[in-house]
Amino acid sequence: MKTNEIFEHVLQIVCEECELCYGELINGANKNAVDARCLLICALVSLGFTEENIASYLSMTRQGVNKLKNTLSHRISQSYILLKNNQLISKRIATEIHR
């Protein structure tokens, strides 16, 4: 798989598991959208994407990507649903991308 295909596939997985459309996940300012972006960023980092790559794909700054990446553990500790979504996303990535 090419890098952009992996990005698109992970984005699709996160959108489905978080029940958000692409536009909401990328541009949304509500808590659910920000949480989903955080999950997306961390999933991409775990696949080897750099913060610079992710920033480019999401039209964000590297610092913005870094901030969301670093807040995941705190966000998960505050939300059981976010924890479950993270687990589901990780499982789907493991089965659908790491074949």
Side-chain angles (χ1 to χ4, degrees), residues 5 7 9 14 19 22 24 33 40 46 49-50 55 65 71 79-81 83 92 96:
E5 292 171 341
F7 173 82
H9 195 78
V14 173
E19 300 177 348
Y22 172 83
E24 290 173 314
L40 172 64
S46 74
F49 282 72
T50 65
V65 169
T71 63
S79 171
Y80 179 75
I81 292 171
L83 171 66
R92 285 191 60 189
E96 296 176 24

Side-chain angles (χ1 to χ4, degrees), residues 21-30 33 37 58-59:
C21 70
Y22 172 83
E24 290 173 314
L25 190 143
I26 298 299
N27 300 314
N30 63 41
R37 253 192 319 277
L58 296 178
S59 299

Side-chain angles (χ1 to χ4, degrees), residues 7-90:
F7 173 82
E8 290 294 329
H9 195 78
V10 173
L11 177 62
Q12 178 185 356
I13 290 170
V14 173
C15 285
E16 289 171 6
E17 294 302 333
C18 295
E19 300 177 348
L20 294 171
C21 70
Y22 172 83
E24 290 173 314
L25 190 143
I26 298 299
N27 300 314
N30 63 41
K31 184 178 182 329
N32 290 340
V34 176
D35 285 347
R37 253 192 319 277
C38 190
L39 291 173
L40 172 64
I41 289 167
C42 290
L44 292 170
V45 167
S46 74
L47 290 171
F49 282 72
T50 65
E51 291 177 4
E52 290 83 7
N53 293 135
I54 297 167
S56 175
Y57 280 113
L58 296 178
S59 299
M60 295 175 65
T61 64
R62 187 198 59 77
Q63 292 85 355
V65 169
N66 182 269
K67 181 178 179 181
L68 285 178
K69 181 187 80 166
N70 291 336
T71 63
L72 180 62
S73 60
H74 175 71
R75 289 175 182 276
I76 284 178
S77 72
Q78 303 295 313
S79 171
Y80 179 75
I81 292 171
L82 190 60
L83 171 66
K84 290 317 233 178
N85 282 344
N86 189 44
Q87 291 171 344
L88 291 169
I89 290 165
S90 295

